[in-house]
DNA sequence: ATGTCATGGCACCCATGA
């Protein structure tokens, strides 16, 4: 089973890319999408379903928005990350059952600039995510939390660690919150299989020729529960879509799990 | 640190977020 995550930076603009990705013979069984930038009712369901996929989404106007696309039926469990959900109107979390697997598509707050309320919102959101992960672990359920974490776990995940030192994506508090997820018992799939990787990025800014210079960051991650980590057989970053015309600034990250 | 994009309200540019 192949599961991928991809921040498409506008589902409307990137629909041709999404369809091309889903039509390929390397297409994933499950795809987690972020930054739809459209309302739930504007998700192009018919085009996706025409390729034999199911789709569930939680969107909002202009910003955020996440979706789960799957070859087998999707049963939605949560449309918001628990904790503060009454006050948190941002569409950043969607959790669902796909057969006997629980998956969540998440779009973690960017958190910049750090001196604004955006940074504590990010850290608070990460606390809520850790609480949710702990609850799922307590249920002893196989699950995957995938998406745009907006965190570079270590300096190896940043093309210029010194220049990015004060950014919310690399700040020690952000990294500590990410490690807290791992310390609960989750496995970050790419790092587990490629612990010494260098320049393995999943995002390249549109500005300053970042893609052409390979000035990237690794901020898109797949976190696995213990039972799924035991089944992990491959995890790669598919750089090809980042090179397509009018690309998203992110590229897909995927993993393959052995049959249970 | 910025050589870019996408959005929406408003009006055919500009602010905002990333």
């Amino acid at each position: 089973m192949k599961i991928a995550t991809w921040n498409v930076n506008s589902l409307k603009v990137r629909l041709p890319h999404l369809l091309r990705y889903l039509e390929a013979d390397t297409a994933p069984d499950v795809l987690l999408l972020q930054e739809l930038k459209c309302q739930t009712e504007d998700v192009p369901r018919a085009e996706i379903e025409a390729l034999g996929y199911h789709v569930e989404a939680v969107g909002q106007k202009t910003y955020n928005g996440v979706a789960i696309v799957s070859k087998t039926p999707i049963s939605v469990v949560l449309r918001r990350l628990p904790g503060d959900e009454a006050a948190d109107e941002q569409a950043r979390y969607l959790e669902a059952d796909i057969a006997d697997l629980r998956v969540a598509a998440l779009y973690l707050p960017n958190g910049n600039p750090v001196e604004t309320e955006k940074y504590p919102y990010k850290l608070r959101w990460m606390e809520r995510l850790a609480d949710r992960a702990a609850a799922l672990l307590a249920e002893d359920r196989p699950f995957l939390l995938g998406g745009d974490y907006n965190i570079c776990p270590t300096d190896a995940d940043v093309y210029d660690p010194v220049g990015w030192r004060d950014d919310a994506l690399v700040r020690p508090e952000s990294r500590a919150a990410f490690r807290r997820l791992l310390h609960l018992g989750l496995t970050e799939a790419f790092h587990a299989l490629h612990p010494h990787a260098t320049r393995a990025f999943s995002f390249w800014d549109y500005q300053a020729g970042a893609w052409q210079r390979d000035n990237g960051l690794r901020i898109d991650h797949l976190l696995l529960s213990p039972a799924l980590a035991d089944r992990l057989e491959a995890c790669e970053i598919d750089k090809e879509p980042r090179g397509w015309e009018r690309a998203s600034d992110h590229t897909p990250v995927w993993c393959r799990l052995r049959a249970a």
Side-chain angles (χ1 to χ4, degrees):
Chain A
M1 179 179 214
K2 183 172 179 175
I3 304 175
T5 182
W6 192 9
N7 178 325
V8 290
N9 185 18
S10 169
L11 184 51
K12 184 180 173 185
V13 172
R14 234 62 71 188
L15 182 62
H17 291 201
L18 173 64
L19 299 180
R20 180 173 172 183
Y21 186 68
L22 293 177
E23 280 174 324
D25 45 13
T26 55
D29 301 291
V30 176
L31 176 59
L32 311 175
L33 298 171
Q34 301 85 37
E35 283 210 87
L36 309 181
K37 293 188 172 180
C38 68
Q39 303 194 75
T40 308
E41 57 268 33
D42 296 326
V43 168
R45 312 185 61 91
E47 290 89 337
I48 296 168
E49 288 167 353
L51 299 183
Y53 284 89
H54 297 79
V55 57
E56 291 288 345
V58 53
Q60 67 179 92
K61 202 186 262 197
T62 313
Y63 305 121
N64 310 315
V66 291
I68 298 173
V69 174
S70 168
K71 286 180 178 170
T72 59
I74 303 163
S75 175
V76 171
V77 176
L78 290 172
R79 296 181 187 276
R80 281 287 187 272
L81 182 61
D84 308 336
E85 67 263 47
D88 189 353
E89 294 172 349
Q90 301 189 27
R92 295 181 175 275
Y93 188 85
L94 179 61
E95 185 180 308
D97 282 322
I98 296 173
D100 51 4
L101 178 67
R102 179 70 59 89
V103 299
L106 64 96
Y107 176 46
L108 218 141
N110 177 294
N112 283 303
V114 293
E115 65 276 12
T116 68
E117 72 292 338
K118 292 174 188 296
Y119 191 51
Y121 173 67
K122 173 182 195 152
L123 297 177
R124 173 67 191 134
W125 207 93
M126 295 198 74
E127 280 181 30
R128 292 163 58 194
L129 183 60
D131 289 346
R132 184 61 191 152
L136 291 169
L137 285 163
E139 292 176 26
D140 203 25
R141 173 190 291 289
F143 66 92
L144 179 151
L145 306 178
D148 178 357
Y149 279 75
N150 268 315
I151 305 261
C152 305
T154 73
D155 279 353
D157 304 306
V158 191
Y159 72 94
D160 175 14
V162 173
W164 281 74
R165 195 173 38 203
D166 298 322
D167 193 278
L169 278 57
V170 311
R171 291 273 301 170
E173 299 88 349
S174 301
R175 286 179 169 170
F178 187 78
R179 284 195 301 273
R180 185 175 164 212
L181 291 170
L182 305 183
H183 293 153
L184 287 172
L186 303 188
T187 296
E188 195 254 283
F190 187 84
H191 183 256
L193 294 182
H194 307 285
H196 308 297
T198 57
R199 304 194 77 80
F201 304 132
S202 65
F203 162 90
W204 297 259
D205 199 280
Y206 287 122
Q207 296 187 68
W211 167 247
Q212 289 75 13
R213 295 161 188 253
D214 195 26
N215 287 343
L217 307 173
R218 194 172 72 89
I219 56 180
D220 300 275
H221 308 298
L222 299 166
L223 268 57
L224 309 179
S225 70
L228 288 192
D230 291 343
R231 294 167 51 190
L232 177 63
E233 65 178 12
C235 181
E236 301 295 340
I237 300 170
D238 181 0
K239 286 174 72 172
E240 190 192 321
R242 184 61 181 81
W244 292 345
E245 194 163 338
R246 215 179 177 197
S248 168
D249 41 6
H250 296 250
T251 212
V253 179
W254 60 267
C255 71
R256 189 177 296 285
L257 304 173
R258 280 183 285 271

